[in-house]
Amino acid sequence: MQKKLVVIFVFLITLPIIYVSYSSYRTNSNAKLASTTESAGQLADNAMDKVDRYIADLKRYTILPLYNKDVQRLLDQEGTDWEKNSTVHMFLSYLTHMKDEISAVYMTDRYGMIFYNNKSGQHEPYPYERLAEWKKQTAAAGVAPVLVGTHPIRVNGSEELQVFSVMRSIQSISTLEYIGMIVIDVDARLFEGIIQPLNNVTHGNAVIVDENGRIVYDSDPARLGQDLTGSPLLAGATESRGSFRLNIGGEPYIAVYSVSGQTGWKTLVTIPLKELLAPIKQSRNSMMVMTLSILGIALAAAMLISYALTKPLKQTVQLMKQVQRGKLDVRVRVKYNDEIGLLGSHFNRMISRIRELLDEVAETEKSKQKADMLALQNQINPHFIYNTLESIRMLAELNDDDQVAELTYLLGLLLRYSITRSADEIVTIRQEIDHVRNYLLLLQIRFPDKFNFRFEIPESFYALPIIKLVFQPIVENAVFHGLEKRQGSGTITIRAWSDGGDAVFTVHDDGVGMTEERLVTLNHSLTDGKTDKFGIGLRNVHERIRLHYGHGSRLTVSSRLGEGTTVTLRIAGLLSGDENNFGINAGP
């Protein structure tokens, strides 16, 4: 009741505030995301346009050798001389200084000799290490220019320089035959001046990716040349421009991208939503503080009002929980004559009545057990049965009927063991095994040549205590459900061994066995309490050993159709954890 009062009171006050706060936050967030996405998209378009124009200029520079007759003539000339060196180097120097970011310009003649000119500070670019790759790329492109994304080149010994290249094969304008190629390397730091303003405005991180998915530019130099194919960043960039959301390192980001129609390169800007929405979240947090303050005031008022009304009821509920756990010596202190006081009075009377009923049930059960035992004793006088069976046995021996005499003797032993002892009486393993042996001998007389039996039990087990009538129901099932239906003679084997402090017994028959479905049903019936005409005796044994030896004890059945059945009986703690006192060896 107190919780309901508090919830209703707080709910009516805070719901309008929460709704208005949430709507305001969502509206502001969506507006901020839309404006930022549009602004970042325009900046990405501008950056990509600058890159396109720069690369277009480089591609035009690679056409210049076609219009220089001296260069055309000298590239077709074998060998080198002062004129060739000076003319080609002057031409390459001119191209190198066309743009500040050009790192070096290389030109090869028809015979594979390389001429190059590079900016100051780059003493040796080692062009012959790259010649084979140049030839491969220009040959594949024909007369079209080739754009190669950012890649490292070796300069000045062991140093590396990140560059991107534009190259083209050179054909003679007169014969249209291949006479060389031209390669322009551009320092990748060119992109820093184009992309950095974009990062400053968006507070994000922009990357340029070539048409093959490799990073052309990133603020982290270690990522240059990294292949992003299959990454979530490229997977979302499927149009010519747009935006999408993704997670990077567990943090939400919005990615804005623009794709160049000329080069196929993509500019992608990842903007952290945490930083983008920080001002809006501050406003949201202020609103939340105000809402929580109102909620706290409302909560305090509701609790003060409801506490006085519900305190006696809460005490009664606690006492009910104690009763539920079995504690019946509780009582409600009734202080008021209101509805809650009336409830407490009825609760006290109910507990008193429950205690009385439990006492009556216990006394009735005891009386019933005594009456049942007295009735059983009155119905069956054991001495009368023993004397009668003994008389029958003596008459059979006088008439030389040894089989009837033996059958009567065994039946007397079975009755003496079953009737004179209670079901929970403790006997030894030897007594139980003797009882099973007598039972099997009696059945052998009934079913001649139908089965044999053997016991593989360590001698040290025979003195162990156990509740009676544990093995006989299992053996009975083995005979009547396993061996009786078998063609020919079978064998029942009872084994025993130790497993830690537990004693393990198995009763195995090589009878007809049972199907997998029947086995599952039988094992299930041992614990679910449902009647099963095949498993009722086994379930009785299972329940008795669990009640007497604890839940670690159990009975399980395994069987294969046509191969036989094994009943395993585990009795927990029967060896009391001290196997050496009995000289028992673990294992079957």
Side-chain angles (χ1 to χ4, degrees):
M1 186 182 297
Q2 183 179 8
K3 291 180 179 179
K4 290 179 180 179
L5 291 173
V6 171
V7 169
I8 293 173
F9 193 69
V10 173
F11 178 79
L12 293 177
I13 294 178
T14 58
L15 180 61
I17 299 176
I18 294 175
Y19 176 76
V20 172
S21 301
Y22 178 77
S23 299
S24 176
Y25 171 72
R26 294 297 301 174
T27 301
N28 293 336
S29 298
N30 293 336
K32 180 67 175 178
L33 288 175
S35 63
T36 302
T37 301
E38 182 62 26
S39 176
Q42 293 177 358
L43 293 174
D45 291 341
N46 293 337
M48 200 74 261
D49 183 60
K50 291 180 181 180
V51 173
D52 287 346
R53 284 188 276 117
Y54 195 98
I55 293 175
D57 289 342
L58 296 177
K59 290 180 179 179
R60 285 194 295 270
Y61 296 163
T62 61
I63 303 176
L64 293 180
L66 299 177
Y67 302 104
N68 192 312
K69 294 181 180 180
D70 292 334
V71 172
Q72 286 268 313
R73 176 176 57 82
L74 294 172
L75 291 180
D76 199 29
Q77 173 185 315
E78 186 175 5
T80 182
D81 53 23
W82 181 86
E83 179 191 7
K84 184 174 183 178
N85 280 335
S86 61
T87 302
V88 173
H89 277 290
M90 185 177 295
F91 179 76
L92 294 178
S93 177
Y94 167 74
L95 292 180
T96 304
H97 291 84
M98 291 288 286
K99 290 185 179 293
D100 294 336
E101 297 81 11
I102 295 178
S103 174
V105 181
Y106 313 86
M107 188 180 293
T108 66
D109 63 12
R110 183 172 189 171
Y111 304 99
M113 180 171 287
I114 301 177
F115 304 87
Y116 63 89
N117 184 271
N118 52 276
K119 291 289 179 65
S120 60
Q122 183 178 324
H123 305 301
E124 178 60 48
Y126 306 98
Y128 284 97
E129 297 178 358
R130 305 163 60 194
L131 181 59
E133 186 65 24
W134 289 346
K135 289 182 177 180
K136 178 181 176 182
Q137 292 174 332
T138 55
V143 297
V146 178
L147 175 62
V148 180
T150 302
H151 56 282
I153 63 172
R154 186 164 71 97
V155 296
N156 304 337
S158 60
E159 296 180 15
E160 281 191 350
L161 178 66
Q162 295 287 347
V163 299
F164 72 93
S165 304
V166 178
M167 61 188 72
R168 186 196 297 264
S169 61
I170 305 173
Q171 281 74 30
S172 171
I173 59 175
S174 59
T175 63
L176 298 181
E177 294 182 354
Y178 172 84
I179 60 174
M181 60 181 162
I182 182 172
V183 179
I184 301 176
D185 280 345
V186 182
D187 194 333
R189 285 175 290 187
L190 156 76
F191 299 114
E192 186 173 347
I194 298 174
I195 298 300
Q196 195 57 42
L198 176 59
N199 288 340
N200 293 337
V201 173
T202 61
H203 301 285
N205 180 51
V207 297
I208 299 178
V209 182
D210 65 16
E211 69 280 6
N212 296 319
R214 295 189 175 275
I215 296 179
V216 175
Y217 171 79
D218 191 292
S219 58
D220 182 7
R223 297 189 64 198
L224 294 178
Q226 181 179 339
D227 189 359
L228 295 183
T229 303
S231 70
L233 187 61
L234 281 186
T238 57
E239 306 292 336
S240 60
R241 70 188 306 270
S243 63
F244 58 92
R245 293 193 182 189
L246 75 163
N247 287 330
I248 301 177
E251 295 291 333
Y253 283 76
I254 183 170
V256 182
Y257 64 92
S258 176
V259 182
S260 170
Q262 298 183 23
T263 63
W265 288 8
K266 299 176 182 178
T267 300
L268 301 105
V269 187
T270 53
I271 307 170
L273 290 180
K274 182 178 181 180
E275 185 173 344
L276 179 64
L277 300 177
I280 298 176
K281 287 185 177 180
Q282 289 180 355
S283 176
R284 180 202 63 185
N285 293 340
S286 299
M287 188 75 71
M288 288 179 60
V289 170
M290 182 181 67
T291 302
L292 291 175
S293 300
I294 297 175
L295 179 61
I297 295 173
L299 183 62
M303 291 181 64
L304 289 174
I305 295 173
S306 61
Y307 178 76
L309 298 175
T310 60
K311 181 181 178 181
L313 186 59
K314 290 173 66 177
Q315 293 175 347
T316 304
V317 170
Q318 293 299 324
L319 293 178
M320 289 181 178
K321 291 181 179 179
Q322 295 182 29
V323 172
Q324 185 179 358
R325 293 191 293 267
K327 186 177 181 181
L328 299 178
D329 57 343
V330 297
R331 188 173 183 83
V332 176
R333 296 180 180 179
V334 180
K335 295 182 179 180
Y336 306 103
N337 293 326
D338 56 6
E339 289 81 357
I340 297 177
L342 184 62
L343 176 64
S345 299
H346 285 290
F347 175 80
N348 292 336
R349 287 195 290 271
M350 179 187 69
I351 294 300
S352 299
R353 182 55 181 162
I354 289 175
R355 289 198 296 265
E356 293 174 0
L357 291 175
L358 289 177
D359 293 340
E360 291 178 4
V361 169
E363 289 297 327
T364 301
E365 187 64 25
K366 290 180 181 180
S367 300
K368 183 177 180 299
Q369 291 179 357
K370 292 179 179 178
D372 290 343
M373 183 61 68
L374 182 60
L376 181 61
Q377 292 176 352
N378 291 334
Q379 291 174 6
I380 303 175
N381 189 323
H383 295 289
F384 174 76
I385 295 176
Y386 305 151
N387 294 335
T388 303
L389 289 176
E390 183 65 18
S391 300
I392 296 174
R393 186 177 70 84
M394 294 300 297
L395 290 174
E397 289 182 354
L398 291 174
N399 294 325
D400 295 327
D401 195 339
D402 296 333
Q403 191 175 43
V404 173
E406 178 68 16
L407 185 63
T408 306
Y409 175 73
L410 293 174
L411 180 58
L413 293 178
L414 293 177
L415 287 174
R416 182 184 298 272
Y417 186 86
S418 300
I419 294 176
T420 60
R421 303 176 187 269
S422 65
D424 292 329
E425 183 178 354
I426 301 300
V427 297
T428 63
I429 297 292
R430 184 180 302 279
Q431 290 173 316
E432 265 294 275
I433 294 302
D434 289 342
H435 177 67
V436 171
R437 182 182 287 108
N438 293 334
Y439 180 74
L440 290 172
L441 289 173
L442 188 149
L443 290 179
Q444 279 186 330
I445 297 174
R446 179 181 175 185
F447 303 104
D449 301 324
K450 188 62 180 179
F451 67 91
N452 296 312
F453 60 90
R454 66 174 183 267
F455 302 101
E456 298 178 5
I457 300 175
E459 185 63 27
S460 55
F461 268 65
Y462 284 104
L464 295 177
I466 192 173
I467 59 175
K468 65 177 295 190
L469 295 177
V470 170
F471 299 110
Q472 186 266 333
I474 302 175
V475 171
E476 181 179 356
N477 271 322
V479 173
F480 289 102
H481 296 287
L483 298 177
E484 185 180 8
K485 301 176 182 178
R486 170 191 166 98
Q487 296 294 329
S489 178
T491 303
I492 293 178
T493 305
I494 300 180
R495 296 186 177 92
W497 69 89
S498 65
D499 185 5
D502 299 347
V504 182
F505 300 88
T506 60
V507 179
H508 173 74
D509 69 82
D510 55 358
V512 296
M514 66 185 75
T515 63
E516 184 68 23
E517 294 79 8
R518 181 62 174 142
L519 178 63
V520 172
T521 302
L522 174 59
N523 278 312
H524 187 60
S525 72
L526 296 178
T527 56
D528 65 358
K530 296 181 179 179
T531 301
D532 185 277
K533 63 180 181 180
F534 181 38
I536 187 170
L538 299 182
R539 186 172 67 253
N540 179 267
V541 174
H542 176 74
E543 289 298 326
R544 289 176 59 215
I545 64 171
R546 284 188 48 157
L547 290 173
H548 195 276
Y549 296 103
H551 291 285
S553 303
R554 58 186 177 273
L555 182 148
T556 56
V557 182
S558 60
S559 180
R560 294 179 65 90
L561 189 63
E563 296 181 13
T565 302
T566 300
V567 178
T568 302
L569 186 67
R570 174 179 290 272
I571 301 180
L574 186 63
L575 302 177
S576 301
D578 190 6
E579 298 174 1
N580 294 328
N581 292 338
F582 300 100
I584 299 168
N585 295 321

